[in-house]
Amino acid sequence: MKKIFAVALGILTAIGGFVDIGDLVTNALVGSRFGLSLAWVVVVGVIGIVVFSEMSGRVAAISGRATFDLVRERLGPRIGLANLLASMGVTFLTFIAEIGGVALAIEIATSVNEVLWVPVVAAALWIVLWRVRFSVLENVFGLVGLALVVFAVALWKLDPDWGALWAQVTSFSPGADNTWTQYCYYAVALFGAALTPYEVFFFSSGGVEEHWGEKDVGTMRLNVFLGFPLGGALSLAVAAVTAVVFLPAGVEVESLSQVPLPVAIALGKIGVAIALLGFFAATFGAACETGLSVGYSIAQFYGWSWGKFVAPRQAARFHAVILLSTLVAVAVLLTTVDPVAVTEYSVVFSALALPLTYLPILVIANDPDYMGERVNGRLANVLGSVYLVVILVVAVAAIPLMILTRGGQ
Amino acid sequence: MPGRDEPGFRRQYDAELHLLDRQIVDRDGRPVAKVDDIELAVRADGRLAVAALLCGPGALGPRTGGRPGRWTTAIWRRLRTEEDPQPGRIDAALVTGTDNAVHVSASADELRVDGLERWVRHYVVDRIPGAGHAD
Amino acid sequence: MTARALRPDRSRWRAAVLAAAAALTASACATPEGDPSLYRDEAVSTTKAAHSSVATVAIVLRTRLRDLTFGRAADDAVSTAETSLTSTAGTFEGLQPPRGADSVRRQATQLLSDAEDAVAAARIAVRRDDRAGMRAALVAVTRSADALDKAPETLP
Amino acid sequence: MRTDPAVTGGPGVRHRISELLGSRVRLPDGSCPGFVNEVRLAGGPGLQSYVVDGLVVGSRVQGSMLGYDRREVLGPRVLRAVVRLVNRDLSYAPWASVRRIDWDERVVEVERLGPLTDERAPR
């Protein structure tokens, strides 16, 4: 049991990257439109986030420096500020979406409009971020979020034509009803979501919160190697069940309320209840992850005291930022904006934030001044360099694709 | 001197690479500020010596440059009550050593370079129940 | 690679953002008036989107009738689909049809209003937990889904 | 080594290191080989005893080797090669060769430029 709790940070981090509200709907949409023909992107994304989280976690464990410290130290105040603004664009928009996502999950269970739940959810979230211990937060939401495994069980129970599914996986093409531009747009969106920068902000800062030292590098790696592939597998399971149920029916997923339907068909009410619990925990966990990441990044950029391991009054500006973001998020959501639509715009900010986040991690993970003997090995460097190039290509392609496809339509 | 050995001093510093933008940590290990700029003083022998670490928006703004930098500086001036506000200053003699952070021998409260932190603590955070409760 | 050397040319960057925003707005607002074939394309994509909503409702009704999901979850799924359908249909009905496209408009509008009626009936039955009503609605919804599915061929 | 205080301004005068970074470098023949990219400090013990040891000069206003100028920072090889290529024109102006710093015009007059050496290389 203790072993499970030891990897809760990795699981919670991965949930924010792979099955938060935006990803749940996007994965279901991709499954219903493209089948599993984009599954390879998730695999590529998982490897990428594993490579860079391992580096950022190792830097945190050896040097005690979290990721936004590195950004500022290697890029300086000017480009560092550009990255701060872009990363905040991604993280804060996602934070808003998650609060709306928790409200949506509750709406499905109660059929009371999500807008009415927003203030309640936000208040509960803020109390958790203010008062609940970091370890409790990651254990509860990380592990309860695993309820989403019900999608994998549903897939097995649906007993689809596995050969046909595998044919989709290996088709590497958009299929008859979609264009290549649309295919590329969703490939970029899935890749961007897998490597979304708040994962490394949260993971490395979480390592500092947990007082990782050199002896904890093994635990850190266990978190990385278990957490992210698990997150990727969950997102693939969501895409697979929608590919089985919705693709032949000609249904394109556009809202969270459609996502539990395949589980209902396969497993009935019990399955739906577990899926809704999973939605709630995953979106609430992702809200914690993004909310804290907003505070972590700003505090680390400006050198403020931060973290949940000190009393709030010892990290006053950090907690003020979290309080303020929660209030602004509520204000935005009360305009009745669609929370899922909010995440689509974050792709734009990823274009700038991704390269400017992963370059400094790669550089510092090679610097013996920080790392001593624990600098990157050859494999980490080869993969890191290759992924940096891929990230640059994706960053350049993201905005034109978004415009060409009108956001994937 | 990698890792978490006792912080000491390098033989040489490349100012931008080894000092600027590094975290300043107080004697209790608590983050205080970043090295936003470094003050040099002309010594009697004419050489430029490190006099102090400068921190806060008043030092960061000019270094950021461009419109974001000007805005940073302007907002900071507005929020200060003095006629000619100066950025936070930590005397170089207080620095006890460097590793991947810059360590100083005073506590954050004695350094008094984080006016906003104290303002937010006093007027916002301390008024919320549970502010003194650590993990 | 020397990040500090990257000095973005601010005016050019701003121009690019403005151009992108303009392109985005223009492409989002482009209405296919004038060309009858463009209008027909719009009708086809509208019926495709409507089919997605209606087929969702059919799945919800089937799962609810077999007691595989909760009343509230079914209600929420049907209501969300209905909102989406109404908005899709409203957007199409607001378009100005070009001359010579009136029959396309008449037929597509008919398909859409049939769909809206069937989905509304489904919502009423689900919310009342009226099983007979749900069965009746399922027949109408299925018929509407089939008609919408065939629209690319049947529209003039 | 004593320096005429006129080089840097009167004793006791304070400047920010950011005023030096990015300053234009001028040689006695009036040519401008580039800008101050980095300020190297040496001395001790105690940070207050460190003095400017020399200036790293590059052809762009700002530039950073990201640490790759040091021999022990190795990987990734591709990145190291790219950074070194971009910064291949870096040179070093030891303090003894600095004739005058004009803080207002942000110009540093330098006698001559030497090669940039690894800080840990034996001298």
Side-chain angles (χ1 to χ4, degrees), chain A residues 52-210:
Chain A
F52 284 108
S53 306
E54 193 275 334
M55 280 185 223
S56 77
R58 185 153 37 88
V59 174
I62 305 294
S63 73
R65 297 266 75 86
T67 296
F68 231 93
D69 279 330
L70 316 184
V71 168
R72 170 95 189 259
E73 285 166 23
R74 276 298 174 274
L75 300 182
R78 191 185 175 84
I79 306 210
L81 181 65
N83 187 8
L84 182 68
L85 295 174
S87 303
M88 284 307 96
V90 180
T91 313
F92 185 61
L93 283 181
T94 314
F95 177 63
I96 297 175
E98 302 312 329
I99 295 180
V102 179
L104 274 175
I106 304 178
E107 176 189 305
I108 297 174
T110 59
S111 66
V112 173
N113 191 295
E114 50 110 357
V115 178
L116 298 175
W117 287 112
V118 163
V120 182
V121 170
L125 176 69
W126 178 76
I127 290 171
V128 166
L129 296 181
W130 173 258
R131 202 57 204 267
V132 175
R133 290 171 57 170
F134 190 84
S135 55
V136 173
L137 178 157
E138 60 179 14
N139 290 343
V140 170
F141 297 109
L143 298 186
V144 180
L146 289 182
L148 291 174
V149 168
V150 75
F151 280 90
V153 178
L155 179 66
W156 169 73
K157 193 80 192 298
L158 285 169
D159 194 26
D161 178 349
W162 296 99
L165 271 188
W166 181 248
Q168 290 175 2
V169 173
T170 51
S171 73
F172 302 110
S173 65
D177 288 339
N178 302 290
T179 64
W180 275 101
T181 12
Q182 289 165 339
Y183 186 77
C184 292
Y185 172 79
Y186 281 104
V188 166
L190 288 177
F191 183 80
L195 276 105
T196 189
Y198 56 76
E199 288 171 281
V200 284
F201 302 154
F202 183 72
F203 188 65
S204 61
S205 306
V208 176
E209 296 254 25
E210 294 194 345

Side-chain angles (χ1 to χ4, degrees), chain A residues 79 107 252 254 258 268-269, chain C residues 3 52 56 67-68 72 76 84:
Chain A
I79 306 210
E107 176 189 305
E252 280 184 16
E254 52 185 342
Q258 290 163 295
K269 279 184 175 170
Chain C
S52 172
T56 302
D67 203 29
L68 292 173
R72 290 178 191 281
D76 191 61
S84 163

